[in-house]
Structure formats: C-alpha cells, structure tokens
Amino acid sequence: MSEILTPEEIIKKGELVFKKTKFMTDANLSYCPGCGHGVAHRITMEVIEEMGIGEQTIGVAPVGCSVLAYDFMNIDMQQAAHGRAPAVATGIKRVFPEKYVFTYQGDGDLAAIGTNETIHACNRAENIVIIFINNGIYGMTGGQMAPTTLEGMKSSTSPYGRDVSTMGHPIKITEMVAMLPGVCYATRHAVHKPGLVRKAKKAIRKAFENQRDKKGTSIVEIVSNCNSGWKMTPVDANIWLEENMLPVFPLGDIKG
Amino acid sequence: MAKVRGAIVVDTERCKGCDLCVVACPTDVIALNTQLNGKGFNPAYPANHDACTGCMSCALVCPDMCITVYRYKPQKEAV
Ligand code: SF4
Ligand code: SF4
C-alpha cells in the first residue's frame, strides 16, 4: 500500500533540501523583483559556507545597485569607492594573505570607472576573486548606457540605440583580462535558469579554490538581467537576455 | 512505483512576485496569489502542490531566497 502524503506531511516527514543560507542576512534585498543580483549573492555565499571559510573571507562591495551587498552578505565586508574594489581588495589581501578576498562588482563599476583597477589588479596576478555582474546598463542611476551596452540597445543616454560608430562597441572585459598572464581563470555564466545557477556556483567555487591554491586572479562574469533598466518584466528580461546578451557575451570558460 | 514527492514553503512577506519560480517549475506547481502581501506584491504560492517533486528549480532561481524545499522519498515497501 502506498501512502499519499499531504504537502504538510511532506514538510514534516521529508528531508529539507533547500533553504536560505545563513551566510545571507535576513534583510530584505534592495534589488528590483527578479533581478539576478540576489541569486549571484546567494551562490557566492553558499560557496563560502560550503568551503567553511566564512570567518576567513572578506568581501569588497562596489558602487552601483549592489552597493549594499555588505548588508546582505553575512561576513566581513568593506565598501570601496566607485570602481576601486580590486585596488581595495589588493590592499586587504596583501595585509592578510591568509584571508579569502573577493570583489562583487557590476559592469558600470568594473568595466567603466574601474577598468583601470580591474586590468591592473589582474595584471599583477592579485590572488583575489572578482565576481562581475554584467547586465549591460547602469541600473542604479536610471538605465544609462554602459560600456557593456549592446549595439543598438536603447538606454536613457542612447535613446535611439547604441551607435557603435560614435559610442564604441560593447566591451568584453572578461576576454580582455583573460589575455593577461596574471589571470588563472576567466569564465562567463548566467543565473536565469536552474541548470545555469548550478554551473555558475561551481565556477565561483573553482575561483575560491584557485585563491586557496594561490594561483592568481580569478574572474567570474555573470550575465544578468536589469529588468528595470531594460524596462521589461523579469520573465521577459530573461528571455531578452538569452536572445540578445548571450550571443555577444557567450557563456563558458575563457581561460582555465 | 512510489514517486518522490516534494513540498515548498514560500516566505510570502519576502516575496516580490517576480514570477521567475512560476516559469522555472517543470510541473507547474506555483502561481502568483491574487491577494497582495504587505508590500503590495502578488506573492508566489503552491497552487498545485501535489505535483511538486522537490526538484528545487524554483528555489535556485528565486533571487530573494523565499522558497524552502522539502523532499520525501517513500521507503520501499516490505513484501
Ligand atoms: S536597477 Fe537593474 S540591476 Fe539594479 S536592482 Fe533593479 S533590476 Fe537589478
Ligand atoms: S521544487 Fe520543483 S516541482 Fe516543486 S514547486 Fe519548486 S520547481 Fe516546482
């Protein structure tokens, strides 16, 4: 005879297979509904929890939508000036070489004002992890064009679409820094589908293991939606992401 | 054959009604409630709970970590 359990009985008798990690605080995330930042935060913190390195890890938060990451990530965090997170992380790691140090940055932070810091930290093979959220736009300040904005993509500062003849091409920072000998691991992922979330988490784990093994800089790019800036529902934004962002920013390992 | 069953608990006050779990669920368990939560969002709820397999797809894509997932594997029955 087979028993038919109600959902309440399954909750009582069954195995707990997923719950929010304690390494995320209980604070409500400040992100728009459906924004990929929440998943990127969570998988980063799950990796830190699973590696048992919570007390040894210091995160560096950027300027941008994720400026409040230190409120959400339940570990030691430091706030950096706009774009300077890799420089701040360099300092922290050099003072505390035994700690795990990572930056969490959006494309406006890492690929625009912080290009210099990003490239030089990578070139110096700073033994840090860079988590780079690329949504092709300045989200927090109101959807302005970023260096990563796609060709033809409309934003509040490119209302007729990005014209590459005057505004340049979407910059592929992860490919660029992959060329540097200091970078041991450069990879691009996404978090809008369950299978992709699992893969992105594995990549973040590998990046932290590289830091443990003192291999140099690891950069994990996550192509994410900015549904508010793109002016779409979250579901439509993820479809748009697949159809438009991924051909320009293809997923997979670039190095390592 | 005894099937693996699942169940979810949604933190409805935390939920922002983004709809991503509804789309991610392979067995169409989740819907958005017409009743609003305190912040004025339509929170997710298991409308078709008996179809849940505990696959965690919803929880993996939830940006706000609102979903807790349980799984129950029926024991092999003694003959
Ligand atoms: S503005 Fe864009 S990136 Fe910022 S929280 Fe909203 S959806 Fe996310
Ligand atoms: S655990 Fe899987 S089957 Fe159950 S509600 Fe979530 S996505 Fe649907």
Side-chain angles (χ1 to χ4, degrees), chain A residues 5 15 17-18 26 29 31, chain B residues 5 14 16 63 69 71-72:
Chain A
L5 296 183
E15 180 197 353
V17 287
F18 186 97
D26 289 333
L29 302 184
Y31 305 114
Chain B
R5 297 272 315 276
R14 203 178 158 94
K16 297 172 182 166
V69 185
R71 197 181 290 155
Y72 183 77

Side-chain angles (χ1 to χ4, degrees), chain B residues 9-60:
Chain B
V9 177
V10 180
D11 183 341
T12 45
E13 287 311 312
R14 203 178 158 94
C15 178
K16 297 172 182 166
C18 71
D19 211 23
L20 296 185
C21 57
V22 177
V23 175
C25 176
T27 54
D28 293 329
V29 170
I30 309 176
L32 297 187
N33 209 325
T34 48
Q35 206 156 3
L36 304 177
N37 67 11
K39 289 288 182 196
F41 295 115
N42 296 101
Y45 79 108
N48 179 22
H49 216 162
D50 288 342
C52 179
T53 61
C55 71
M56 311 195 301
S57 294
C58 52
L60 286 170

Side-chain angles (χ1 to χ4, degrees), chain A residues 52-245:
Chain A
I53 57 173
E55 288 185 12
Q56 297 133 263
T57 305
I58 301 169
V60 184
V63 171
C65 286
S66 45
V67 66
L68 297 176
Y70 51 76
D71 272 349
F72 310 134
M73 297 178 169
N74 207 2
I75 54 166
D76 287 340
M77 298 287 291
Q78 171 64 48
Q79 175 64 41
H82 204 355
R84 312 307 182 230
V88 173
T90 297
I92 296 172
K93 183 71 184 180
R94 288 186 179 202
V95 173
F96 298 117
E98 76 288 359
K99 301 277 189 200
Y100 290 84
V101 180
F102 73 94
T103 72
Y104 184 99
Q105 303 172 261
D107 48 313
D109 190 83
L110 180 143
I113 189 168
T115 318
N116 186 354
E117 282 73 11
T118 306
I119 290 178
H120 286 291
C122 290
N123 193 43
R124 293 189 307 264
E126 296 299 341
N127 195 23
I128 58 174
V129 172
I130 296 175
I131 296 173
F132 166 34
I133 311 300
N134 178 6
N135 52 25
I137 206 160
Y138 280 91
M140 182 224 224
T141 47
Q144 291 86 357
M145 187 179 75
T148 43
T149 298
L150 302 183
E151 179 174 357
M153 184 174 166
K154 289 186 178 148
S155 70
S156 60
T157 49
S158 58
Y160 304 110
R162 181 177 191 162
D163 176 358
V164 296
S165 68
T166 53
M167 303 168 192
H169 292 267
I171 199 165
K172 299 186 180 188
I173 287 274
T174 308
E175 276 87 347
M176 284 167 59
V177 298
M179 293 167 47
L180 301 170
V183 171
C184 63
Y185 182 42
T187 186
R188 187 181 289 118
H189 291 267
V191 291
H192 58 285
K193 285 189 171 162
L196 296 176
V197 174
R198 287 197 167 94
K199 279 193 192 155
K201 182 171 164 184
K202 276 197 192 129
I204 294 172
R205 169 108 193 191
K206 183 171 167 187
F208 277 93
E209 287 172 354
N210 288 341
Q211 182 169 167
R212 178 193 64 202
D213 301 339
K214 302 186 170 48
K215 288 190 174 166
T217 315
S218 298
I219 179 165
V220 181
E221 174 176 341
I222 294 176
V223 181
S224 179
N225 78 59
C226 172
N227 56 76
S228 288
W230 299 355
K231 307 201 186 326
M232 297 174 199
T233 66
V235 172
D236 288 347
N238 283 344
I239 295 168
W240 192 90
L241 180 156
E242 286 233 354
E243 291 174 352
N244 297 279
M245 294 284 282

